[in-house]
Amino acid sequence: MWVPVAGLPMRLTLSASSGAGRSCIWRSGAARWKDMPARNRRGLSDFQPQLLPGQDFRDLPSRPSKCGVESKRYLTSPRLAETVVPFLLRDDDPCKLILECNPGPGILTQALIQGGARVIALESDKTFIPHLQSLGEKLGGKLHVVHCDFFKLDPRSFGVVKPTVDSRVLLRDLEIETLSWSKGIPLKVVGIFPAKNEKKMIWKFLHDIYSCTSLYRYGRVELNFFMNETDCQKIMANPQNRNLYQALSVLWQVACEVKLLHTEPWSSFDRYTRAGQLGRPECRVRVSNAAALFPLESLEQQTQQNLCFIQCTPRRNLFTENLTPVNYDVFFHMLKQCFLKRNAKLIHQLHSLSPVDAVGVLKKIKQKGTTKITDMYPLDFKRLFETIECSKDYSCKWLYDDFMEDVII
């Protein structure tokens, strides 16, 4: 039995069989483009954290570590920890359970516990494990340390990921309470997106939210992450920021209440270096077919960048009778196809999306024939999708091409 969907309409519970793997379940009213007439195939192109006595995270055991895009960033500033904690532990929010990804030296970990939280630390680097375990003993058992990589949790279709971490086993062992989607937040996740594969991880979280899989089996898990400034701007873009506005923007804003909480210079974060120490080196990588080493970025360029602390809280009303964990892939497909021709008129794109009467659909969603794709706000796209989904006069409602299934834009 799939407990987390107990609060959803009956048809939503059908997604229980989808599991953590990527699944596309098309409703009976869908057809492939190659099976449709040519006319229907147009258009695709006061709180201050204090270190405990005797603690010095820079005296941690050292070991060689890979340097480059795979190196991890760590929050090592007590000042920054002091800034972040109030965003996670709000007076009006009863949820005090925090899942921290790669806490490293545990500066934020300690600040959260001192602020009243219970923390589950998922650390992928075994170098930090003894230090974090020792910290947990000093903090009265409010810290549970697990050696695993959060960003390998329930991998989807982005290649073979080893070792695989199953959230069902992990959270069962930690006795995490499941809450229905209509109720509160069961836990909050905080961390820093890895520089490598950040975009793929952002898309993975979207699939997890819409399919109610991975952590979202347990309810509306809140995400709090530092990410690069460009991706943050894309997620928060709307028709007023046309150059950045894309399918990613729509999907996140339909699924979640998105807030930019804080912006911090890259220089405030440390990396684990080749010498096995926390620091800010100039990393170098070998370019194929070249004899020399070339710097990825100079230290000056890196420290001029910002990381944005963004909070994404899934909406209670995300799922409706016409947008569910069963058909969410159709919604993804619709948006990807729309934004392939982002400057086109919506009515022209509708002909390539659906055989349903385009003029009638526009009237129902109160849009004009001159409306362009980039004129549509996120909730407008949701209304568009639901309007087509609830059309009763057509046995086939959607047209799609197989190649669009794995497009990431």
Side-chain angles (χ1 to χ4, degrees):
M1 180 177 180
W2 195 54
V3 178
V5 298
L8 298 176
M10 179 61 68
R11 61 186 296 210
L12 304 193
T13 63
L14 297 176
S15 62
S17 61
S18 63
R22 194 176 189 284
S23 175
C24 176
I25 307 175
W26 292 87
R27 297 180 62 189
S28 57
R32 298 179 187 275
W33 279 30
K34 64 183 180 182
D35 299 327
M36 298 302 296
R39 62 183 175 82
N40 285 332
R41 288 188 266 124
R42 297 173 292 171
L44 182 66
S45 330
D46 57 352
F47 176 78
Q48 174 64 47
Q50 301 292 331
L51 290 176
L52 293 176
Q55 272 190 264
D56 188 351
F57 61 84
R58 296 189 186 276
D59 292 335
L60 291 171
S62 64
R63 68 167 178 83
S65 180
K66 293 182 180 179
C67 187
V69 293
E70 293 185 5
S71 59
K72 300 181 182 69
R73 294 170 286 201
Y74 291 100
L75 191 158
T76 58
S77 166
R79 173 199 58 79
L80 181 54
E82 178 187 358
T83 301
V84 168
V85 167
F87 295 132
L88 299 172
L89 302 177
R90 304 181 295 272
D91 293 336
D92 59 345
D93 187 352
C95 180
K96 307 298 180 185
L97 178 60
I98 310 293
L99 193 155
E100 186 179 4
C101 313
N102 294 327
I107 302 302
L108 178 59
T109 312
Q110 183 177 327
L112 287 167
I113 292 174
Q114 289 179 347
R118 181 165 71 93
V119 177
I120 300 167
L122 303 187
E123 177 55 59
S124 61
D125 194 328
K126 63 182 180 181
T127 304
F128 293 109
I129 297 298
H131 172 75
L132 291 169
Q133 290 174 336
S134 175
L135 181 62
E137 294 172 0
K138 297 174 183 178
L139 293 173
K142 292 185 178 180
L143 172 62
H144 188 99
V145 182
V146 181
H147 180 208
C148 73
D149 190 345
F150 173 80
F151 296 103
K152 293 182 180 179
L153 196 68
D154 304 324
R156 303 189 76 92
S157 58
F158 298 124
V160 178
V161 180
K162 296 181 179 180
T164 299
V165 183
D166 190 330
S167 63
R168 288 171 292 190
V169 175
L170 176 66
L171 299 188
R172 180 196 65 201
D173 293 344
L174 296 172
E175 300 181 347
I176 304 300
E177 179 185 1
T178 298
L179 294 179
S180 68
W181 198 265
S182 61
K183 293 187 178 179
I185 298 170
L187 77 156
K188 303 175 183 179
V189 180
V190 63
I192 304 171
F193 268 120
K196 182 180 181 181
N197 294 329
E198 178 173 300
K199 191 168 186 178
K200 288 183 178 180
M201 290 305 307
I202 291 172
W203 276 95
K204 178 191 179 299
F205 281 126
L206 273 175
H207 282 284
D208 290 345
I209 293 171
Y210 278 90
S211 62
C212 291
T213 53
S214 191
L215 293 178
Y216 294 92
R217 293 186 185 93
Y218 298 84
R220 296 186 299 115
V221 174
E222 179 184 282
L223 299 178
N224 300 268
F225 275 98
F226 283 98
M227 66 171 57
N228 74 62
E229 199 165 15
T230 301
D231 284 335
C232 177
Q233 291 171 346
K234 290 177 180 177
I235 287 174
M236 302 192 70
N238 58 38
Q240 298 179 20
N241 318 101
R242 292 176 185 270
N243 292 336
L244 294 170
Y245 194 42
Q246 54 189 264
L248 188 74
S249 319
V250 175
L251 288 168
W252 272 107
Q253 292 177 50
V254 167
C256 300
E257 180 183 0
V258 182
K259 296 180 181 178
L260 174 60
L261 301 178
H262 182 70
T263 302
E264 187 73 18
W266 184 94
S267 57
S268 298
F269 300 86
D270 281 346
R271 282 190 173 189
Y272 205 67
T273 71
R274 190 186 301 274
Q277 298 294 329
L278 285 165
R280 305 178 182 86
E282 180 178 325
C283 298
R284 302 166 77 88
V285 62
R286 183 173 297 278
V287 179
S288 60
N289 300 323
L293 290 173
F294 297 92
L296 287 175
E297 287 180 306
S298 69
L299 181 58
E300 181 180 0
Q301 287 174 320
Q302 289 178 333
T303 54
Q304 288 175 351
Q305 297 177 6
N306 290 321
L307 290 183
C308 297
F309 190 56
I310 189 171
Q311 182 178 85
C312 302
T313 308
R315 299 183 186 276
R316 293 177 189 268
N317 63 348
L318 167 60
F319 298 115
T320 65
E321 286 298 313
N322 296 298
L323 176 59
T324 76
V326 174
N327 68 358
Y328 82 95
D329 261 352
V330 190
F331 184 48
F332 277 46
H333 170 84
M334 183 194 82
L335 290 169
K336 289 177 181 180
Q337 187 167 331
C338 279
F339 279 90
L340 281 178
K341 291 189 174 180
R342 52 185 300 111
N343 294 319
K345 292 181 180 180
L346 176 62
I347 192 168
H348 295 160
Q349 288 294 78
L350 285 179
H351 292 305
S352 62
L353 286 168
S354 172
V356 176
D357 177 38
V359 175
V361 169
L362 287 181
K363 289 181 179 180
K364 289 181 179 179
I365 64 173
K366 299 181 180 179
Q367 295 293 335
K368 300 177 180 178
T370 56
T371 299
K372 294 183 178 180
I373 296 298
T374 51
D375 293 331
M376 297 273 288
Y377 279 83
L379 290 182
D380 293 332
F381 281 108
K382 185 180 181 182
R383 281 192 287 270
L384 170 63
F385 176 79
E386 292 178 329
T387 299
I388 296 176
E389 273 289 288
C390 68
S391 299
K392 298 179 180 180
D393 299 331
Y394 295 82
S395 59
C396 172
K397 299 176 183 179
W398 298 102
L399 310 174
Y400 72 99
D401 264 356
D402 291 338
F403 92 95
M404 284 295 297
E405 286 305 288
D406 295 315
V407 170
I408 296 179
I409 55 177

